[in-house]
Amino acid sequence: MNDVRRSGHRAGSHLIGRERDLAHIRSHFHGSGRGAALLLSGEAGLGKTAVLEAVAAEFRHGGAHVLHASGVQYEADISYAGLNQLLVPFFDSFDSSDSSDSFDSLEPHHRDALRVAVGIGGGPPPNRLLVSTALLFLLRRAAGEKPLLITVDDLPWLDRATTSVLAFVARRLAGSDISFLAATRVTSDDAFELSDLSEHRLQPLDDVASGELIRSAHPDLPLMLRRRVVAEAHGNPLALVELPTALKSRQEAGASLPSVLPLTERLQKLFASRVADLPRASREVLLVVALEGTGDLGVIEAATGSGPVVDALEPAERDRLLTLSTTTRRVSFRHPLIGSAVVTGATAAERRRAHQALADALTDQLERRAWHLGEATTQPTEMVADLLERAARLRSRRGDALGAVAALTRAAELSPAPADKSRRLAEGAYLGAEATGELADASRLLAGAQQADPAAESSLHAAAASALLLINQDGDVGTAHRVLVDAIEEGEHGWDASDETLLEALFTLNLLCWYSGDPETWPPLFRAIDRLTPAPPDLLWVCAQTFADPARTGTRALGRLDELLTDIGEDPARIVRLGHCAVYPDRLAALREPSMRLVESGRAGTVPLRRYLAALLHVCLADYDAGKWDQVLALADEGVRLCEENGYRFLTRKFQYPLALVAAARGDTEASAVLTEEIVGWATPRGADGVRALACHIKGLTALGSGDFESAYLHSTTLTPVGSLPPYQPQAMAGAMDVVEAAVRTGRVAEAAAHTAALRASTMAELSPRLSMLVLACEALITTDESCFPLFEEALSQVDDGQWPFDTARVRLFYGERLRRHRLTSQARVQLAEAAQVFDQLGAAPWKTRVAAELRASGQVSVAAARPIKDPLTAQERQIATLAATGLTNKQIAERLFLSHRTIGTHLYQIYPKLGINSRAALRDALAALDMGDAG
C-alpha cells in the first residue's frame, strides 16, 4: 500500500496539511451539480489513501453510502478482482432468494452478468459492455435510496477489466447522486482509461505542515534531527513519519549520523523498486552521485574513472529519477529519498568502494575527503581520525556545530588510542550541549568518553559538557561551577590565548558565574583570563568586563566593545557572545539585525539550536527596550516552546523574563505572578541567584504599576539593597529607579537619597544614554524644590525620541507629577500627555491609569483629550480581535497567525479593557462601534 494509513498523517481527526486539498475535493463534488468524478494523483507516500479516507468519512457523516476498492499487486491479473471488492456489500442481495430492491430491479441478463463477473454465478465470461452497463444501473438504483461515494485506491494495481468498467461508469454519472474518487500515482500509465477525468494533484506538504506532522508522530525527536528529516523528506508524509525510526535506532546504537539517511523497510519498498530495474552500470554511477552529495559531474566522473557519465545516467533520467544539466554540469535526484534508496540498496562493500573513490577524487578538499575516508575505513586508523578531527574544527569555525559533532563522533570511532577516542567524544559532547541543542546526544557522548578512558583526568571539554548538562538537568549551578573551575585550573594547557578549547571553557564559565549570582564565583574566571598569554582575546575580555559587574568595570571595556560592534561578522558564536557583551551597556540594538538573521537561519535549520535560542533571546530583549512588545510576546513564546521541547531548562527561565516583563508592565498580574513563581521555583533549589534576581525585578515593576509602593519597595530592595549597587549583580541596574521611586513614594526619603548616591558613585550612568537618564531621573526624584526641573530636562535629553519608550515615559510621568505639584499645570499636561500616548501604544494599562489620574488632577477631563483619537488596538491586536469575534478558538487563531494559544490568550486579556468590554461575546459589537467611530 502506497499510503500513510498508519503513518500519523492525522493528528486526532485532523488531516495535517491537507485542508486545501479537502476543500478542493468538496468543491468539486458539491459544485458540479449531481454526479461527479475526480482523479486524485500524487507521488508515492504523499498520503492519497489518507485523503480518500477523510473524504469517505465526510460522506458517511453526511448520510451517504461508501463503496471502496483498492488495487492489490497480486490480484492485478485477475479479471474483475477490483469489482469483486467494490460490490462486497451487495453480495447477500446477489442471492436470488434474498434480492434487494436495487439488485432485483435489474434485468435478468444484467444480474447474471454481475454475478459471473464477481465470481458468484457460473457461466461464460460476460461481455465487458454488459458488465459496465449492469454496474451503472445497479449503482444508480442504489443511489436512489441515499447518496453514494465510490473510492478506489492504488489504481495502478487494479485489474484492467475493473479499471475499464469503472472508467465507463465514471463518465456517466451526470444527474445521479453518485460521486467517484480514485487515487493514482503521477508517474503511472495504468490510469490511462481514466485519464480524461478531472484531476487533482496532491503536492508535498509545506514546511509548517511537515513540522506539525513530525512533531505529532515523533514528539521526542531532537529539533536538529527533526529539521534534517524535514529537509530530506521534501514534504512526503510517509517519509516524515518513517525516517525518524531509522535515525533513532541508529542513535540508540551509538552510531554517528550518515550523510545519506537510511530508509525503513516501507520507504525502501516505495523508492528502491524504481532503482532496482536500472542497468548495473547506471546503478553504480547513481551510487557515486548519491554519496557525492553536490551533483558535481566533474567529481563524479573523476570518482568513476569512466569519463563522461551522461550515457550511464540516461536510463535514470528517462525514468524521471533525476535531472541532469550538461550546461551547469550538475545532476540531482528528483527526490532526496531516491538517493537514499540507491545507497540503502547497495552492499556495504559497494558503498565503501564508492566512498574511497570519492576521497581519491577530492584530494584538495579536506572536509569532504575526510568524511569519505571516514566512511570508507573499517578499522581504527589515526590518520583518518586526525583528518576528521581537523575537518570538525573547520566546520565548527564555520558555525556548523552539528557537522562538527558528526565528524568528531566518527573520528572517535576510528581512534586507535583510548585517550584520543575519549578526547574526541568529550569535544563532541561539549559542542552538543553548548551549540547544537542535542542534550541527549551530549549525555551519550560524554558517557562514551568516560568509558573509553576511565583512568584519564576530566578534559576541559568533558568538564564544560558536564557543567552544561548539570544546569539543564537536576544539578545545581555551584557543582557545575566547581567541575569546570577544577578542570581549568588543574589542566595542562599552558594558558595559551589561542587554545580554542580553553577559550570555550572560559566563555562557559562566564555564563555559569552569572547564573550563580554569587560574587565569589567570579575570581577564578578573572585569574584565568589574566594568565592567558600573550593577552586574552578582546571578545572574552570585554564579555567578562561588561557581563560580570558592568556598573563598576563596564566602562573600561566600552571602547573595545564599540570597535567589535563595527565588525560583527557572520559567525554565530561571535554574534551570540557579542550579544552577551551588549546586554547591560544597552548595545543590543546594534546586534538586532545579525541576531535576527541567526533566528531566521535557526528556523530554517541551518544554525545550531543553542545559537538560535541565544540570538532569539537577544532580539526579545532589544525589542522590549524598543517598545515592540507584541513582537516580544511572540518571540519569547517561541523561545519557551523550543526550550521545553529540547530540554534547555535554564534558557526557559530567560525567555520567561521578557514575557513576565511585558505582563507586569501591562498589568497582567496573574500571568506575571505565574511566570515569576516558575522562575523562582527553578532557580532556588539550583542556587541560581542570578536567575532569581530576574523575578525580583518583575515583582517590583508589577507592584509599582498597580500603585502598591510598599510591596514595590520590598521586592526592589530584595534585588538590590538600598544604598548600594551590589557587585557582580548586574540586574541591580535594571531595578535602580524602581528602588528610588518606591522609597520616595513610601516616605523613605533618606533611603532614596542613599540609593541615588550609590548610583552616582558607580559608573552606571556612563554605560549608555538610557542608564544616564535613569540616574538623572533618580536625582530629580529626591530633589524636592524647583531645581528638580533642570534635572528632569537633562535626563530626557539623554535619549533620542523613540528610544527606550517605556523608561522615557516613566520619567515623563514623574516630571509631569512634579510640575503639577508646583502648579505648573500646562507644562505638566505636556509631559503627561506624551507619557499617556506612549503607555497607550505599549498597552501599559496600569501606567496609563496613573497618568490619567494625574491629568484629571491637572484639570484635564480625559487622557484622550491629550492625543489624537486613534484605534486603541495595535495591528496585531485588531487581527486577533477580529478572528476571535468570528467565533474561532484561541487554538484556531494561534494556528492561523503562527503563535501559541497562550500568546493569543494574553493578547485578548489586554484587548478587552482597551475596548471597554469584559467578554469574548462582546467583541463583535465593540469592533463594529470602533469601525463606525473611525468612519465618523
Side-chain angles (χ1 to χ4, degrees), residues 365-372 383-412 415 423-432 435-436 445 461 500-501 504 571 608 611:
Q365 298 184 43
L366 185 150
E367 285 184 55
R368 296 178 65 198
R369 172 175 165 77
W371 185 258
H372 288 297
M383 182 274 291
V384 179
D386 178 68
L387 201 62
L388 281 165
E389 185 175 358
R390 289 161 55 195
R393 298 268 190 279
L394 293 174
R395 291 189 175 194
S396 183
R397 290 185 196 124
R398 201 172 61 245
D400 180 13
L402 197 65
V405 171
L408 284 166
T409 304
R410 184 59 180 153
S415 300
R423 174 176 54 80
R424 286 159 178 158
L425 285 175
E427 185 172 355
Y430 170 72
L431 283 175
T436 70
L445 292 173
H461 278 135
E500 292 184 13
T501 304
E504 288 291 325
D571 176 23
R611 306 295 186 221

Side-chain angles (χ1 to χ4, degrees), residues 546 561 565 577-589 591:
T546 60
L561 172 58
L565 290 173
R577 285 165 181 166
L578 277 172
H580 295 326
C581 299
V583 171
Y584 294 113
D586 286 334
R587 301 297 200 273
L588 279 176
L591 280 159

Side-chain angles (χ1 to χ4, degrees), residues 742-823:
V744 168
R745 295 188 187 281
T746 57
R748 294 177 171 94
V749 178
E751 288 85 346
H755 204 70
T756 302
L759 301 183
R760 274 198 306 263
S762 75
T763 59
M764 167 180 160
E766 300 172 34
L767 288 174
S768 76
R770 179 183 72 94
L771 294 173
S772 176
M773 176 183 69
L774 297 185
V775 173
L776 286 164
C778 289
E779 292 187 14
L781 279 171
I782 64 170
T783 304
T784 56
D785 59 20
E786 293 185 357
S787 61
C788 71
F789 300 145
L791 289 170
F792 276 121
E793 290 290 346
E794 187 181 357
L796 291 170
S797 71
Q798 300 300 303
V799 300
D800 295 332
D801 287 342
Q803 285 188 309
W804 297 289
F806 181 60
D807 288 328
T808 305
R810 285 182 65 187
V811 174
R812 290 193 184 279
L813 169 59
F814 303 154
Y815 189 12
E817 289 173 335
R818 192 63 60 83
L819 286 166
R820 186 187 67 76
R821 283 160 178 73
H822 282 77
R823 301 184 185 283

Side-chain angles (χ1 to χ4, degrees), residues 87-357:
L87 295 182
V88 165
F90 291 93
F91 278 8
D92 288 343
S93 64
F94 279 15
D95 183 347
S96 59
S97 64
D98 185 24
S99 296
S100 68
D101 290 342
S102 54
F103 185 73
D104 192 45
S105 62
L106 295 179
E107 293 294 331
H109 57 287
H110 286 149
R111 294 199 300 269
D112 292 342
L114 286 177
R115 285 196 185 99
V116 172
V118 300
I120 290 179
N127 177 277
R128 190 168 294 178
L129 178 61
L130 184 63
V131 174
S132 302
T133 305
L135 179 63
L136 181 61
F137 284 159
L138 175 64
L139 296 176
R140 280 182 171 270
R141 283 164 171 73
E145 300 170 8
K146 60 179 181 178
L148 184 66
L149 170 68
I150 301 169
T151 62
V152 180
D153 198 6
D154 280 335
L155 194 59
W157 292 119
L158 209 62
D159 63 276
R160 180 67 70 181
T162 299
T163 302
S164 176
V165 170
L166 291 178
F168 177 93
V169 170
R171 297 187 189 97
R172 292 164 175 79
L173 298 181
S176 71
D177 279 326
I178 305 172
S179 301
F180 177 87
L181 181 64
T184 186
R185 291 188 196 175
V186 171
T187 55
S188 173
D189 296 325
D190 296 286
F192 174 76
E193 298 195 45
L194 290 163
S195 60
D196 59 340
L197 298 183
S198 297
E199 180 181 355
H200 177 67
R201 181 170 295 188
L202 281 189
Q203 299 298 329
L205 299 180
D206 61 26
D207 286 346
V208 173
S210 295
E212 184 182 352
L213 176 57
I214 199 169
R215 280 195 302 272
S216 172
H218 300 280
D220 298 329
L221 190 70
L223 181 66
M224 297 303 288
L225 283 187
R226 191 186 308 156
R227 287 178 174 154
R228 172 86 185 273
V229 170
V230 168
E232 295 283 343
H234 273 215
N236 186 294
L238 183 61
L240 287 164
V241 172
E242 289 283 314
L243 282 173
T245 303
L247 281 177
K248 284 192 287 190
S249 62
R250 190 177 177 104
Q251 274 191 303
E252 288 165 1
S256 57
L257 288 182
S259 55
V260 179
L261 295 185
L263 300 185
T264 62
E265 186 176 342
R266 290 181 74 192
L267 289 174
Q268 182 72 3
K269 196 173 179 181
L270 277 184
F271 290 95
S273 59
R274 300 177 62 188
V275 176
D277 295 334
L278 294 173
R280 180 181 178 82
S282 298
R283 295 199 306 274
E284 289 176 349
V285 175
L286 280 179
L287 179 59
V288 175
V289 172
L291 295 176
E292 190 273 338
T294 72
D296 185 334
L297 280 177
V299 174
I300 293 164
E301 287 172 350
T304 57
S306 57
V309 296
V310 175
D311 291 343
L313 293 175
E314 183 182 358
E317 185 181 21
R318 189 169 52 246
D319 285 354
R320 295 169 49 85
L321 296 176
L322 52 79
T323 58
L324 192 151
S325 170
T326 54
T327 304
T328 62
R329 291 193 47 79
R330 292 279 168 181
V331 59
S332 62
F333 290 107
R334 288 187 177 272
H335 194 289
L337 295 186
I338 297 173
S340 296
V342 171
V343 175
T344 304
T347 66
E350 288 170 336
R351 291 195 295 269
R352 285 197 299 273
R353 284 195 295 270
H355 278 298
Q356 185 63 58

Side-chain angles (χ1 to χ4, degrees), residues 503-535:
L503 296 181
E504 288 291 325
L506 293 175
F507 274 115
T508 302
L509 183 59
N510 190 58
L511 288 175
L512 288 177
C513 293
W514 183 93
Y515 278 109
S516 76
D518 181 359
E520 298 302 318
T521 60
W522 289 95
L525 173 67
F526 293 122
R527 285 198 303 269
I529 290 175
D530 289 342
R531 294 176 70 179
L532 292 176
T533 56

